[in-house]
Amino acid sequence: MVKTKLVVILALSFVVLATRAAEIQVSVFPASPSASESFRIVFSASEKVDADPNFEPLANVFEVLGQNKNTQVQLSNGRHSSTTRWELEVIAKQTGDLVIPAIQFGSDSSAATGITVANAPNKSADDGDDLLLEIEVDESAPYVQQQVILTVRLLRRISIAGANMTEPNASGDVIIKPLSKDRTYQGDRNGKRYEVFERRFALFPQSSGILDIAPMTVTTQVPRGSRSLFDPFRASTTTRRVRSNSISLQVKTVPGSFTGKVWLPARKLNLREEWEPNSSIKNGEPATRTLYLWSEGLTAGQLPDFPMLEIDSTNIYPDQVQSKEQENDTGFTAVKQQKFAVIANAKNTGTDSSIAIPEIAIPWWNLDTDEMEIASLPARSLPIQFDKNSEAAPPNENAVGAVIEPEPVNKATAPTDEASPPSTTNWRLIALIAIAGWMLTLGAWILVNQRKLAAQEPLKPHQKENLKASQLAKAVRHAAKSNDPFAARNALLAWGSENYRTEEMLSLGQLGRLVDQNLAVEITHLNAYFYASETINWRGENLLNAFQNNTISNHNSSSEASKSALEPLFRLN
């Protein structure tokens, strides 16, 4: 009976111990934390808890920077005891009276604990703080789409590690582009020396009105002071967060005095051109015109397209637009470039000819003078050079005031009364005798060579021509496949001379007037390769396709073919 009671008592003791909840204590170090610095929340249990803790409820009130778990074992009077601690480094998301929520350790739970988080003091360098963050802009009242430089400075007089800076955040529609070059230098504030870390951003407001730039923050590790006897868990460093000031911009709309189609607020804007060749243009030969638009204070995407050119007696082939932007101390500079192949197709009248190049004008707004200006290329005339072999148009004999001079008579060869014309009868007799002799000779030649002709018939003249043209066409295709522009030019000129029965094909421009439109365009692109101001990578695939699909029939006379003007692809005028 006694043994039975003892067993029951021991069983009940084990049940009581098993059902007893573990006591979990909550501590905060320091007891009165600041919103600008991290602090630690420590959960400790001297008994085994039911399960690992779930700290997710803390995320609603705090930003958890890190956590650590450690267990301490003690031996006292022959008895073992252990204490487990969970240490969390956090920063409060708000200030004032806050509550650390109850944390579940399985079936065990900590108690909710109240704390007070003090506001971070608004300090400046004049207050002698050892870590500061400030932001400023170079223009507080910019125009819409004007570049605004936002400068962020972190000033410190202490050692820091692992600094993390937030990106600028604005309330309105704005494009923010970082400027990659950061600066580090020494600076003075109120007679004290700071190490300054500086970063810049370019802001482009997209609408007028008030634009608020929210404060930026920097989170970093800073060294603590000496260990406190009342805070045995304090580490040698702590996480610190500093916040900058906020800024408001008053964005102005486009001024009414601006008359341009594209709003261009810039510090500088230049427009220039280059011609190759630059003194004159050869009729039928491509000249390269390159336009450049350079700006300071604008991005490449803000620069407008070049206007569509209209030049009489010319065909114009635009190349793809190229643009580039660069960063410097004052923000962005951008340049847009486009090349045009210009081919004159004027008629040779025997007098001096030229093409009239119209003016190009691009209005823009000068931010330094706060006035509209115009970047322009003045109108000019470019002389046309004609080929030596090209014939001038004959004078109009029926024109008013035209005087027809009689041809001079050469007395040495002029007929006299003493000389009489040959007899018509004698001339006819001589012709009949010559024809009869030629027929007899032809019949004899046919009889002698009849067997040879039957055994081996020679190639006809047009077959010989076709064989030679086929070989030259093969050379063109081979040069195009090899992406060799020099071989392609030589092969095309040789093929053109043979195919179009010209004594000598002098230029690709001359050949371009004899072929169909697609091949003419590719010949122009090939010719432009030799006039380009910079090295380009020529590919012969398009030339090969156009050459194989050339629809102009062979053996066109050059005189007839030259009458047809080159119809360009992507023609501008």
Side-chain angles (χ1 to χ4, degrees), residues 49 51-53 55 67-71 84-88:
V49 296
D52 290 334
F55 293 122
Q67 66 182 59
N68 183 36
K69 176 184 176 181
N70 62 78
T71 301
T84 303
R85 292 182 176 85
W86 292 265
E87 302 177 9
L88 286 82

Side-chain angles (χ1 to χ4, degrees), residues 177 264 266 268-274 290-306 320-328 331-339 362 534:
K177 303 187 71 170
L264 298 174
K268 296 179 182 178
L269 192 137
N270 293 326
L271 177 64
R272 67 182 183 91
E273 67 174 347
E274 290 181 357
T290 307
L291 297 179
Y292 300 90
L293 183 62
W294 177 88
S295 70
E296 180 180 328
L298 295 173
T299 63
Q302 291 178 278
L303 296 180
D305 294 332
F306 293 106
Q320 291 184 352
V321 178
Q322 297 182 354
S323 58
K324 185 179 180 181
E325 60 187 23
Q326 251 183 340
E327 306 169 13
N328 53 35
F332 281 93
T333 59
V335 62
K336 179 172 285 189
Q337 168 191 313
Q338 188 172 17
K339 292 180 179 290
I362 300 179
E534 57 185 23

Side-chain angles (χ1 to χ4, degrees), residues 80-119:
H80 291 271
S81 62
S82 63
T83 301
T84 303
R85 292 182 176 85
W86 292 265
E87 302 177 9
L88 286 82
E89 184 177 10
V90 300
I91 288 183
K93 293 184 176 180
Q94 50 190 319
T95 60
D97 295 331
L98 306 179
V99 176
I100 301 174
I103 301 299
Q104 295 298 130
F105 292 75
S107 59
D108 298 328
S109 176
S110 66
T113 305
I115 62 171
T116 300
V117 178
N119 289 321

Side-chain angles (χ1 to χ4, degrees), residues 177-474:
K177 303 187 71 170
L179 300 174
S180 59
K181 294 183 179 179
D182 297 333
R183 298 177 57 200
T184 302
Y185 57 91
Q186 300 291 325
D188 292 334
R189 291 291 190 278
N190 196 29
K192 294 184 179 180
R193 178 58 58 95
Y194 284 84
E195 183 174 1
V196 183
F197 171 81
E198 184 177 283
R199 177 171 293 175
R200 292 186 172 191
F201 298 86
L203 280 61
F204 297 88
Q206 299 301 297
S207 58
S208 58
I210 301 296
L211 180 65
D212 294 324
I213 302 175
M216 298 178 61
T217 61
V218 168
T219 304
T220 184
Q221 297 290 324
V222 299
R224 287 184 182 270
S226 60
R227 287 181 178 269
S228 171
L229 297 177
F230 302 99
D231 182 9
F233 314 112
R234 172 172 288 184
S236 58
T237 62
T238 185
T239 301
R240 188 170 172 183
R241 177 172 293 169
V242 291
R243 184 182 299 265
S244 73
N245 54 301
S246 60
I247 295 178
S248 291
L249 304 181
Q250 178 64 53
V251 183
K252 298 180 292 187
T253 187
V254 178
S257 58
F258 183 77
T259 60
K261 294 182 179 180
V262 180
W263 170 240
L264 298 174
R267 300 292 179 189
K268 296 179 182 178
L269 192 137
N270 293 326
L271 177 64
R272 67 182 183 91
E273 67 174 347
E274 290 181 357
W275 282 86
E276 179 63 35
N278 58 7
S279 57
S280 62
I281 182 171
K282 190 173 182 180
N283 197 52
E285 295 283 345
T288 301
R289 186 191 195 190
T290 307
L291 297 179
Y292 300 90
L293 183 62
W294 177 88
S295 70
E296 180 180 328
L298 295 173
T299 63
Q302 291 178 278
L303 296 180
D305 294 332
F306 293 106
M308 305 297 284
L309 303 177
E310 294 183 359
I311 303 177
D312 294 336
S313 302
T314 61
N315 295 329
I316 302 176
Y317 304 89
D319 201 353
Q320 291 184 352
V321 178
Q322 297 182 354
S323 58
K324 185 179 180 181
E325 60 187 23
Q326 251 183 340
E327 306 169 13
N328 53 35
D329 293 339
T330 59
F332 281 93
T333 59
V335 62
K336 179 172 285 189
Q337 168 191 313
Q338 188 172 17
K339 292 180 179 290
F340 299 85
V342 182
I343 303 178
N345 54 15
K347 294 182 180 180
N348 187 358
T349 60
T351 59
D352 294 338
S353 299
S354 62
I355 58 174
I357 303 171
E359 177 190 25
I360 297 179
I362 300 179
W364 64 287
W365 193 262
N366 190 327
L367 296 173
D368 293 333
T369 62
D370 202 24
E371 294 179 348
M372 187 184 78
E373 295 186 8
I374 296 179
S376 64
L377 293 174
R380 57 176 294 196
S381 295
L382 196 63
I384 300 178
Q385 292 182 352
F386 290 94
D387 195 343
K388 297 178 181 179
N389 298 327
S390 62
E391 296 181 356
N396 186 358
E397 297 180 356
N398 297 324
V400 177
V403 179
I404 303 177
E405 296 288 341
E407 294 184 3
V409 178
N410 190 344
K411 296 182 178 180
T413 59
T416 62
D417 295 339
E418 299 178 356
S420 60
S423 173
T424 305
T425 304
N426 294 339
W427 178 85
R428 291 180 178 177
L429 179 61
I430 294 172
L432 289 175
I433 295 173
I435 293 174
W438 180 83
M439 294 295 293
L440 291 174
T441 303
L442 178 62
W445 182 84
I446 293 175
L447 291 175
V448 173
N449 294 280
Q450 186 175 7
R451 293 182 180 178
K452 185 182 294 184
L453 291 172
Q456 181 181 3
E457 185 177 355
L459 292 175
K460 297 178 182 180
H462 72 275
Q463 291 175 324
K464 294 180 180 179
E465 295 173 3
N466 290 341
L467 178 60
K468 185 175 181 181
S470 176
Q471 294 173 343
L472 294 175
K474 183 178 180 181

